[in-house]
Every structure is written in structure tokens, then in C-alpha cells.
Amino acid sequence: MEALDYHAEERRKAEFAVQEMKIVWAGSRQAYEMSDRVARLVASDPVFRKDNRTRLSRKELFTDTLKKVAHAWKRIIELRLSEEEGTKLMDFMDQPSFADLQWGMFIPAIKGNGTEEQKAKWLPMAYKVQILGCYAQTELGHGSNVRGLETTATFDPQTDEFVLHSPTLTSSKWWPGGMGKVSTHAVVYARLITDGQDHGVHGFIVQLRSLDDHSPLPGITAGDIGMKFGSGAYNSMDNGVMRFDHVRIPRDQMLMGISQVTREGKYVQSDVPRQLMYGPMVFVRRKIVADASTALSRAVCIATRYSAVRRQFGSQNGGPETQVIDYKTQQSRLFPLLASAYAFRFVGQWLMWLYTDVMQRLQANDFSTLPEVHACTAGLKSITTSATADGIEECRKLCGGHGYLSSSGLPELFAVYVPACTYEGDNVVMLLQVGRFLMKTVSQLGSGKMPVGTIAYMGRAEHLLQCRCEVERAEDWLKPHVILEAFEARAARMAVACAKNMNKFPKQEDGFAEVSADLTEAAVAHCQLIVVSKFIEKLQQDIPGKGVKRQLEILCNVYALSLMHKHIGDFVATGCISPEQGALANEQLRLLYSQVRPNAIALVDAFNHTDHYLGSILGRYDGNVYPKLYEEAWKDPLNETVVPDGFHEYIQPILKQNIRLARL
């Protein structure tokens, strides 16, 4: 019997080729085919089952994670998967684990900051999983302020060793994933001290546990920091606490790609430019932006499919009720998130190019674009992760009461994702870094030094500070150059206004502190401009498939105009647009929602998420929601018995009034 597809009619409405949109989303046909193949491999493997994950105890969940990672590694070897395929397999396993830190932080740290000899020694062991590594930077008392870390690494010239020590409680390493129970090694960040002089924070490769019995080595106290937000979710990860009590390591286990300590204890800088250490940082932030688009697309897929299934109100003469997705209130909340998922995907693809470009430049000792790249990646990390975390929660609310069920997949998705707003740099701190860069850029505008890359528009600051928007009709907002200039003018004017306010203070740091909140808003404006501009650039490429480019144009306009609607105060207050032009933008936005509506299901189908990966009854491909919700309810452990445990002991005495009265 053929399975029912409750979305079949929705899929027939599509005005574009879904298969071609899948390729655009993936980046290339080759990437799509590889991703699709690996996703289905994981979905068909019973070991990777996850529908019971939120019902497992912490210990059961952690053991389940170890089992899945071991099985994943076994399959990678058996099938001779490439590194890219193996990474995809771990992604589709969809369970945070120590392995994420091995490949995402430990190995890149050694590649980026180690010498050739150190890479030759440590990387083969890491790639073969003969050692398991983590990234031990954050401490109990310090996270984003790396310069404030307290752990020390003091060189002992008598033994040619570094002595790692946690001098205070707040110097305890706290949060590193994998460190709690699994990692055998870590890249530990500590204050380098030689001959009584503090040289700041450096990285050290430190063995944490015995390779024989896995017990912590002498002088090391290690454990898990405990349960975190949500059921299942990030609780599969052994985020750790660790303290060092005068732990000795050989001198050559300091990462010496950038700076070294000689046998005599002299601190020297390498001939290798210090700027090379920024390469891995760009790589990690690129991955974070890509992950944002993936996480948001999962939430949007669930909310969109369920909004087409759910019917509520609007029944006429006993006919069917209205699909929730047809309400403008639903569209105005959902479709901007759909557009954002695509926008973040394309800016993430561009960041892959940027990473390649900056690495080539660094290898050629060209550091000219580094400040701009640093600010760009910091800012994009901030705005995409914040928007995604907020977007997942909005999608949960868009699913009404059923979105609160674990079986909707949304509560766990939110709990897994929301740490991204603080790891690899707190989002507000990231925006302040962008703000500093913007202030420096503004201060140099009269020097003849032209801004480059994503900040190039500031070279036309004189024009942007005076230009007037040419919109007269709602449809004028569909012109890419009109949208782009409005976003450029907003960003430039907000940055210049901050610079003027800072200059009112005798001391620059006092001014920075006073206008810091305004600076974060200017940074957001700058970063949103980057995303809008990269979406527009994507549309200028050769995009195959009938109707695909047209749908992307609609989504691009929805993304830009929904941002304008959200930040209308910025645009009007800075004089970029008039209130009347803002009203025309809103009018055009409402019209765009009507153009998204017939294609909504097809647009989320293009994400190509398997039901296994989505992990949501509400987001099922076939839309068969209600029977599956009912079926899932009976799997809960509370339903294993008709009469609940504890009834006879606690509830029955109340019902029988068998309670003795007494005076206080």
C-alpha cells in the first residue's frame, strides 16, 4: 500500500525545480550527491537511532553517545570514507560528542599553531584516533577575555619542562567539551612564565589521562561539570572541569609555531608571522556560520511543514478549517526565517572562499585584509548565531502547543544550538570587536587609505551620508541597488554617529565604554549589510534550474525587507529612508509573502533533510503528524503501567482521607 503524502498537493504547487534548488543549497551537484548519500546511510542504520534520546538518563545518554561515535568511526573505516564524508557522517549522527572537539578544535589548533615537527608528531595520532583531544581554554572565571586566563605554565630550566598549575579556584578549566571524561590530551591555554616574566597566554599540548587505564595523570583533577539545559540535547557532551597541580610537561609540547622558549629559557618570536594563527580562527567561525544555516533550516522545515498540516478556525458551512500557513500572521513570522536560512547558507559558502583567500594571502605574507576578515567573521558569527537561536524558539512557538513536545524536535534543537551564542566568543563581545574596527575605519577615512572587502562601502561615506532613497512606489524596493544603498547608508551613518559621540570624550576608552551599546547596533547594521550583499551577489551568478533564480530573488527581498521592518527605527532615524518609504517597504513585504506561500513546502524540501536528521514528528516529510503523535505518546515510560508508581503510597491516602489531624 502506497504511503500517504499529506504534502503532495503543496509540492505540486511549486514553481521551480526542487532538485536544482537542492544543488544550489548544497553548493554544487557533487556536494549535494555526497551529502544525500551519507545522510541516507546514517538514517538507515539502527545504531544511529535517536527517537528515544530525550528519555534516556544522563549516564545512558553518554554511553549511547560513546557507542554511536565508535560505530561511526567503524563505518568510516569500513567504507573508506573521505575526511569530508566522515565529517558529514558525524554531522548527520546529530549527537554532540567529544569527537566534535577532536576534529573541530584540537586538530586545527595544532595545525595552526604547531611547528612542522609538532604537526608530524601529533597530527597522525589524532587523525588515526590513537589519541583523543580537546581545546582547554575557557576557565571558571574567564571565557571571552582570553588575556585574563589564570592557569600558568612556568618554565623550569633545570629539567627543561613547563610546570602547569591552577593557582586559584577560578583558574579551573571549565566547559571544554570532551575534557570531562573522554579526552586523553588537550591543547591547554596558559600564561607562559619564564624567569619570572609573564609572556601572556600560549598553547600547550598536555596529556590528561593514561593511555592504558584512562585514569587522570598525577596532578590532574578532572570531571564533568554536570547537567545542562534541556533533555538529551548537549548533555551527550562531557563538558569538563580540570585543575592542574604542578603538572610537568616537556618543553617541546608548547605549541611553538608562532613563538618559542629555548633550552636556556629565552622567549623568542618565530620568523613565522604571528598573523598566521588567525587562519584556524577564520576556519572555525566559517563552520559556525554554516552550522547556523543548517540549524535554522531544520527548525524552519519543521515549522513550515506543520503549518501546512495544522488547520485552525475559518471553517465555512462545515468545510475544512484554514491551514495555519495561510494566515498572514504566521507568514510574517515564518517566511523571514525561511529567507534567513538561505541567506546564512550563502554567506557561509562565501566564507569558505574567504578562508581560502586569507590563507593564501597569509602564506604570501600579505596581511592587508586580516583586520577586515577578523571583524567580518566575528560579526557574522554573532549575528547568525543570535538570529538562529531566536529563530528556533520562534519556530517552536509557530507550532503552537505541540511545539513544546520533545517529539516535535524543537526543544532539543534549541537546547543543542543555543550555546553557540557564547562559545568561540560571546556574541556581544564579538560585536564590540567589530565596533572597534568600524571606529578605526572611520578615523582613517581622510587619510587616503581606502577600505577594502566588506568595508569598501565606507570609502563612499561622503555620498552615503548625504544620499536620499529614490523609492516612490512599493515595487521600487525590488531593485537590488536600492536595497543595497539603503543598507550601506544605514551602516555608514550609524558608524559615523558613534565615532562623533566617542570623540566628545578626552579618553578614547572612556568614549568607547560610554557608546558601547550604540557600537553593537552599528556592528549589527554592518554585518547585516554583508549578508544582504552576499545574497545579492549570489543572484548574479549562473543559477541553473527553471524558476530557481526567481525564488531566490523573492527570498532575498524578503530577507532584506524583513530586516528593514525590524530595524525601521535605524533607517528612519538616520535619514536613510522616510517614514513613507518605510511603509512602502512593508507593503511590498506583504506582497512577497504571497509569492513565497505556494513554494513554501518545496523551499524547505530543498534543504534535503531526512526524517531521521530532523528528528521531528511535526516535520515529517509525509505530513502524517497526528497518528504519529498519538503513537509516540504511548511510548513514554509513564505509560508502562496504568496505575502510576507511588499512587498507593502517596495519592490513595489523600483520596481516602486517611490523614491524622494534629495541632501545631
Side-chain angles (χ1 to χ4, degrees):
M1 181 176 175
E2 186 177 351
L4 292 175
D5 183 353
Y6 290 90
H7 291 309
E9 181 58 32
E10 292 286 341
R11 294 184 169 110
R12 280 195 288 270
K13 294 178 184 177
E15 299 168 350
F16 64 92
V18 176
Q19 193 70 10
E20 296 299 332
M21 188 69 87
K22 288 181 179 180
I23 293 170
V24 172
W25 173 263
S28 68
R29 183 176 294 276
Q30 182 181 11
Y32 159 70
E33 291 175 348
M34 182 274 289
S35 179
D36 184 68
R37 184 173 64 253
V38 176
R40 298 187 187 286
L41 170 69
V42 173
S44 64
D45 193 324
V47 176
F48 294 125
R49 172 193 176 190
K50 60 179 187 177
D51 59 305
N52 64 337
R53 187 162 57 192
T54 58
R55 294 193 287 268
L56 299 177
S57 69
R58 178 77 199 286
K59 282 190 173 183
E60 290 172 334
L61 177 63
F62 187 64
T63 303
D64 180 65
T65 305
L66 300 183
K67 173 184 175 183
K68 286 177 179 173
V69 172
H71 183 67
W73 183 243
K74 177 184 176 184
R75 297 298 285 152
I76 288 169
I77 293 174
E78 289 175 344
L79 299 173
R80 299 181 180 180
L81 300 185
S82 66
E83 183 175 343
E84 185 180 12
E85 290 170 326
T87 300
K88 274 292 181 186
L89 189 148
M90 299 298 288
D91 287 343
F92 287 129
M93 184 180 78
D94 191 36
Q95 195 149 312
S97 74
F98 63 90
D100 301 345
L101 284 302
Q102 171 92 347
W103 302 102
M105 298 296 286
F106 181 70
I107 288 174
I110 296 174
K111 288 174 69 175
N113 297 317
T115 63
E116 293 304 316
E117 292 78 12
Q118 288 174 323
K119 294 175 191 177
K121 175 180 178 179
W122 296 101
L123 290 179
M125 290 190 288
Y127 279 123
K128 295 175 184 176
V129 198
Q130 294 171 332
I131 59 174
L132 296 169
C134 65
Y135 187 85
Q137 178 172 291
T138 302
E139 295 178 356
L140 183 58
H142 284 92
S144 297
N145 182 18
V146 177
R147 294 181 181 179
L149 296 180
E150 300 176 83
T151 303
T152 57
T154 305
F155 182 64
D156 181 356
Q158 300 297 320
T159 61
D160 195 26
E161 294 173 316
F162 286 106
V163 182
L164 271 78
H165 187 59
S166 306
T168 63
L169 179 67
T170 51
S171 68
S172 305
K173 291 299 178 184
W174 189 276
W175 274 118
M179 190 177 75
K181 291 294 178 183
V182 176
S183 296
T184 62
H185 290 69
V187 171
V188 176
Y189 285 85
R191 312 195 70 79
L192 170 61
I193 298 173
T194 63
D195 196 24
Q197 185 176 356
D198 188 333
H199 300 283
V201 175
H202 290 67
F204 301 82
I205 301 174
V206 182
Q207 183 172 347
L208 308 179
R209 294 178 171 90
S210 165
L211 294 178
D212 294 324
D213 63 8
H214 203 63
S215 59
L217 296 184
I220 294 177
T221 301
D224 186 274
I225 62 173
M227 284 288 287
K228 299 167 287 277
F229 178 60
S231 300
Y234 221 82
N235 288 299
S236 57
M237 178 74 78
D238 55 324
N239 296 95
V241 52
M242 184 166 290
R243 299 197 70 182
F244 300 99
D245 183 5
H246 300 92
V247 175
R248 290 178 173 270
I249 62 170
R251 178 173 56 88
D252 64 6
Q253 286 180 212
M254 170 186 167
L255 288 174
M256 295 194 186
I258 306 300
S259 53
Q260 302 91 34
V261 171
T262 67
R263 175 64 185 86
E264 296 73 31
K266 182 180 178 182
Y267 179 77
V268 294
Q269 292 281 36
S270 169
D271 292 336
V272 177
R274 189 172 181 82
Q275 290 91 333
L276 284 175
M277 67 184 293
Y278 288 103
M281 177 200 68
V282 176
F283 176 81
V284 170
R285 289 179 180 167
R286 177 209 68 82
K287 180 69 164 58
I288 291 174
V289 173
D291 289 346
S293 74
T294 301
L296 184 55
S297 71
R298 292 173 68 177
V300 167
C301 185
I302 294 167
T304 301
R305 286 177 176 171
Y306 180 62
S307 295
V309 169
R310 184 72 169 183
R311 292 179 178 271
Q312 207 79 7
F313 308 115
S315 175
Q316 298 289 331
N317 300 319
E321 294 178 277
T322 302
Q323 289 172 281
V324 170
I325 199 171
D326 286 331
Y327 288 107
K328 289 296 181 181
T329 50
Q330 192 83 348
Q331 294 176 7
S332 66
R333 296 162 63 195
L334 178 59
F335 292 167
L337 297 176
L338 172 59
S340 296
Y342 276 89
F344 296 168
R345 187 68 169 187
F346 297 145
V347 80
Q349 291 172 356
W350 169 75
L351 279 176
M352 188 66 246
W353 169 87
L354 183 69
Y355 170 70
T356 303
D357 179 72
V358 76
M359 289 305 296
Q360 290 175 347
R361 289 175 181 269
L362 291 177
Q363 295 296 336
N365 289 338
D366 176 4
F367 312 121
S368 59
T369 64
L370 204 54
E372 181 255 336
V373 169
H374 180 269
C376 168
T377 54
L380 290 176
K381 182 271 177 188
S382 177
I383 70 161
T384 58
T385 55
S386 292
T388 296
D390 292 344
I392 295 170
E393 170 60 7
E394 186 69 5
C395 286
R396 184 193 66 78
K397 290 185 285 190
L398 284 164
C399 292
H402 293 333
Y404 195 62
L405 286 168
S406 289
S407 58
S408 76
L410 291 165
E412 190 180 15
L413 177 60
F414 178 77
V416 166
Y417 187 77
V418 76
C421 295
T422 46
Y423 65 58
E424 191 58 24
D426 175 83
N427 280 356
V428 173
V429 175
M430 295 285 99
L431 290 177
L432 288 173
Q433 291 180 8
V434 179
R436 285 190 183 276
F437 171 70
L438 290 174
M439 294 304 94
K440 185 175 182 180
T441 301
V442 171
S443 70
Q444 295 175 340
L445 287 180
S447 67
K449 182 179 180 181
M450 293 299 294
V452 297
T454 55
I455 201 72
Y457 69 97
M458 291 293 281
R460 295 182 289 108
E462 186 174 350
H463 165 74
L464 294 173
L465 294 175
Q466 298 175 355
C467 66
R468 291 291 178 265
C469 182
E470 61 186 56
V471 167
E472 297 179 354
R473 301 170 303 170
E475 55 264 34
D476 289 338
W477 280 116
L478 299 179
K479 300 173 182 176
H481 75 276
V482 171
I483 290 176
L484 200 55
E485 186 171 81
F487 273 82
E488 288 176 341
R490 169 202 176 207
R493 294 180 192 195
M494 292 178 72
V496 169
C498 286
K500 288 181 178 179
N501 288 331
M502 277 185 61
N503 289 336
K504 296 176 183 177
F505 294 82
K507 294 182 179 179
Q508 186 180 28
E509 284 305 308
D510 290 343
F512 184 87
E514 188 65 25
V515 304
S516 57
D518 295 339
L519 274 172
T520 60
E521 293 178 3
V524 167
H526 169 68
C527 295
Q528 288 176 343
L529 164 62
I530 294 174
V531 181
V532 169
S533 66
K534 296 308 168 187
F535 206 148
I536 291 173
E537 285 181 15
K538 181 72 176 182
L539 297 175
Q540 295 169 349
Q541 298 174 8
D542 181 25
I543 299 175
K546 181 181 178 182
V548 170
K549 184 171 184 177
R550 173 61 185 148
Q551 291 306 311
L552 293 179
E553 289 172 345
I554 293 170
L555 289 176
C556 180
N557 289 326
V558 167
Y559 178 72
L561 295 183
S562 63
L563 284 180
M564 184 173 289
H565 175 70
K566 183 178 181 180
H567 299 278
I568 193 68
D570 291 347
F571 286 91
V572 173
T574 55
C576 301
I577 66 174
S578 68
E580 293 76 17
Q581 290 169 330
L584 290 174
N586 289 342
E587 179 184 333
Q588 184 57 59
L589 186 57
R590 287 194 299 272
L591 295 173
L592 288 169
Y593 292 153
S594 298
Q595 296 175 47
V596 174
R597 169 63 188 95
N599 299 284
I601 294 297
L603 284 167
V604 299
D605 283 352
F607 301 146
N608 204 37
H609 297 322
T610 63
D611 282 346
H612 173 273
Y613 186 56
L614 276 185
S616 169
I617 290 176
L618 302 188
R620 291 173 58 90
Y621 182 84
D622 62 14
N624 190 21
V625 171
Y626 299 123
K628 295 299 180 181
L629 279 177
Y630 187 82
E631 178 184 317
E632 185 69 16
W634 295 105
K635 296 178 182 178
D636 192 276
L638 280 181
N639 289 323
E640 290 176 357
T641 59
V642 176
V643 177
D645 296 342
F647 171 80
H648 298 290
E649 185 177 0
Y650 302 113
I651 303 302
Q652 193 171 48
I654 295 175
L655 295 174
K656 298 294 186 181
Q657 298 295 301
N658 292 335
I659 300 174
R660 294 183 179 181
L661 300 178
R663 292 181 182 273
L664 285 175

